[in-house]
């Protein structure tokens, strides 16, 4: 979804923001489902598995970002055409978010793990972070594109990779901690 937000932000802030808003709407739907499933799975044997899958999934995203580095640096936004239909932009990204296996998998693993670690208060933090991101990210893309497209892409990629690695390690650590708790109890 971030790639789509970035792509559409190259045309305009509004197109990038509405793409992010569609993804945020899908995240809200998944967050509600995740909270429901968390209550069902809390303190079960499946909890460490969810941590490991979530941590592994985030590491997979890091690897994919690194593998796609060359393609992202060499995009040619001048050859792309902008969408003037903003409702269509929002609905398209909402539909993509709801049907995106990566987004579904993130909420089923990493999202569920974060709720297990931090409690339900994480919901406000996640929503605030996502809303902040879908405003700041398109603005950064637009500003970076105007100043130095290549540097902006490098900075965004490096920051995203570092954040994903940190959260991946956090989830893997908690998975091992849960296994130790299950064994010792």
């Amino acid at each position: 979804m971030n790639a789509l937000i970035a792509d559409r932000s190259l045309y305009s802030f509004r197109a990038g923001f509405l793409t992010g808003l569609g993804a945020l709407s899908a995240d809200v739907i998944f967050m509600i489902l995740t909270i429901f499933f968390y209550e069902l799975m809390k303190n079960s044997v499946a909890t460490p598995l969810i941590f490991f899958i979530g941590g592994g999934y985030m590491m997979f995203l890091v690897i994919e970002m690194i593998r796609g580095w060359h393609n992202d640096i060499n995009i040619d936004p001048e050859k792309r055409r902008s969408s003037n239909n903003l409702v269509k932009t929002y609905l398209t990204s909402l539909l993509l978010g709801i049907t995106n296996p990566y987004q579904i998998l993130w909420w089923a693993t990493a999202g569920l793990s974060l709720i297990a670690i931090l409690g339900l208060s994480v919901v406000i933090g996640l929503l605030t972070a996502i809303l902040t991101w879908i405003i700041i990210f398109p603005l950064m893309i637009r500003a970076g594109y105007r100043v130095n497209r290549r540097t902006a892409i490098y900075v965004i990629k490096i920051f995203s990779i570092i954040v994903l690695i940190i959260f991946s390690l956090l989830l893997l650590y908690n998975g091992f901690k849960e296994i130790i708790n299950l064994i010792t109890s």
Side-chain angles (χ1 to χ4, degrees):
M1 290 308 292
N2 281 323
L4 188 60
I5 293 169
D7 181 64
R8 292 196 178 152
S9 295
L10 292 172
Y11 305 119
S12 72
F13 166 78
R14 193 175 348 166
F17 173 75
L18 288 172
T19 301
L21 194 60
L24 172 63
S25 299
D27 282 330
V28 168
I29 292 166
F30 290 134
M31 189 180 299
I32 291 166
L33 292 171
T34 301
I35 291 168
F36 172 74
F37 284 111
Y38 169 71
E39 292 301 321
L40 293 176
M41 294 185 65
K42 193 167 32 175
N43 301 322
S44 79
V45 179
T47 303
L49 181 62
I50 292 168
F51 283 126
F52 289 130
I53 293 171
Y57 174 66
M58 286 189 170
M59 280 299 182
F60 168 76
L61 291 177
V62 167
I63 292 166
E64 287 298 304
M65 288 179 78
I66 292 169
R67 286 178 53 199
W69 189 283
H70 179 72
N71 293 336
D72 291 340
I73 299 303
N74 295 313
I75 59 173
D76 185 8
E78 301 304 324
K79 291 184 179 177
R80 302 169 195 268
R81 60 183 178 87
S82 177
S83 172
N84 293 326
N85 188 337
L86 299 176
V87 173
K88 182 179 177 184
T89 298
Y90 168 80
L91 292 175
T92 299
S93 62
L94 172 62
L95 181 61
L96 284 173
I98 288 173
T99 60
N100 182 348
Y102 293 114
Q103 210 161 339
I104 293 166
L105 184 59
W106 190 92
W107 279 104
T109 59
L112 188 58
S113 300
L114 288 173
I115 290 171
I117 295 168
L118 302 172
L120 293 179
S121 62
V122 75
V123 171
I124 293 171
L126 283 172
L127 287 177
T128 302
I130 294 169
L131 184 58
T132 302
W133 181 249
I134 67 170
I135 293 170
I136 292 174
F137 188 53
L139 287 173
M140 289 184 338
I141 297 294
R142 296 296 305 156
Y145 178 71
R146 287 185 192 113
V147 174
N148 185 329
R149 179 173 64 100
R150 185 174 295 272
T151 301
I153 292 171
Y154 279 128
V155 169
I156 290 165
K157 278 234 179 241
I158 290 168
F159 175 77
S160 298
I161 288 169
I162 290 169
V163 168
L164 283 171
I165 288 172
I166 289 169
F167 276 103
S168 176
L169 293 174
L170 174 69
L171 294 179
L172 294 171
Y173 166 78
N174 279 285
F176 284 114
K177 193 169 96 174
E178 285 293 320
I179 287 176
I180 291 169
N181 287 342
L182 285 171
I183 292 171
T184 59
S185 59

